[in-house]
């Protein structure tokens, strides 16, 4: 098991840097500066997606990144994280970063993430105890 501190006996940054080197795709996206557009009609053809009012409203001032065959075909997709990669942080909810042009597809994946991708009860309970202790409660 790696240690998240750089000066630890087995630092994780060595693993993370290795993953960056061997990954097929390492995006340089940042949650505040980019939005990912999932267009189910065009991605597999790498056809350009028209910049619709809907996409413009969702992205606002952020630059759109369009899901394409390069991303889809990557066997290993690695997102850089940590203090040394603040320019590529995705610290935002997935539904504010990813936009599906097909609402049916979007609803499916939003439900999938909502129902299946979450912290375990043990983590929430532990964090609640820590917050309670720190707040003097």
């Amino acid at each position: 098991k790696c240690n998240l501190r750089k000066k630890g006996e087995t630092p994780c940054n060595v693993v993370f840097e290795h993953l960056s080197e061997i990954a097929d795709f390492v995006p340089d996206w940042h949650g505040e500066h980019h939005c990912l557009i999932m267009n189910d009609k065009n991605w597999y053809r790498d056809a350009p997606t028209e910049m619709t009012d809907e996409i413009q409203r969702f992205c606002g001032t952020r630059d759109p990144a369009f899901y394409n065959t390069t991303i889809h075909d990557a066997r290993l997709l690695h997102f850089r994280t940590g203090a040394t990669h603040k320019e590529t942080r995705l610290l935002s909810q997935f539904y504010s970063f990813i936009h599906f042009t097909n609402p049916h597809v979007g609803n499916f994946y939003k439900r999938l993430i909502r129902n299946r991708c979450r912290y375990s009860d043990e983590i929430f309970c532990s964090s609640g105890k820590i917050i309670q202790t720190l707040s003097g409660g």
Side-chain angles (χ1 to χ4, degrees):
K1 189 171 184 178
C2 65
N3 190 324
L4 293 174
R5 291 179 289 164
K6 283 186 181 181
K7 296 182 180 182
E9 198 172 298
T10 54
C12 294
N13 64 327
V14 175
V15 175
F16 298 152
E17 290 305 317
H18 177 69
L19 289 172
S20 291
E21 292 171 14
I22 65 168
D24 299 309
F25 187 75
V26 182
D28 60 353
W29 304 327
H30 187 286
E32 292 178 7
H33 307 296
H34 298 91
C35 55
L36 180 61
I37 305 301
M38 307 287 285
N39 185 341
D40 63 324
K41 294 180 183 167
N42 288 340
W43 73 264
Y44 55 89
R45 295 182 297 200
D46 278 338
T49 297
E50 181 183 335
M51 204 47 189
T52 63
D53 289 341
E54 176 187 1
I55 293 172
Q56 187 61 49
R57 267 193 314 278
F58 180 80
C59 293
T61 59
R62 299 178 295 169
D63 294 326
F66 295 96
Y67 186 81
N68 57 26
T69 56
T70 303
I71 301 167
H72 182 79
D73 293 341
R75 291 181 322 162
L76 176 59
L77 177 68
H78 177 68
F79 292 93
R80 291 187 182 115
T81 60
T84 57
H85 297 290
K86 290 181 181 177
E87 70 279 359
T88 58
R89 285 190 175 173
L90 293 179
L91 292 177
S92 62
Q93 291 88 0
F94 77 96
Y95 48 83
S96 67
F97 177 72
I98 300 174
H99 176 69
F100 295 87
T101 57
N102 180 335
H104 298 293
V105 174
N107 288 339
F108 172 82
Y109 284 105
K110 288 174 186 174
R111 286 185 191 113
L112 177 72
I113 297 297
R114 179 196 67 201
N115 295 339
R116 299 290 177 214
C117 298
R118 58 180 179 223
Y119 290 110
S120 66
D121 289 340
E122 292 82 15
I123 292 174
F124 270 109
C125 288
S126 297
S127 62
K129 289 176 186 175
I130 292 169
I131 291 169
Q132 189 174 27
T133 301
L134 292 175
S135 63

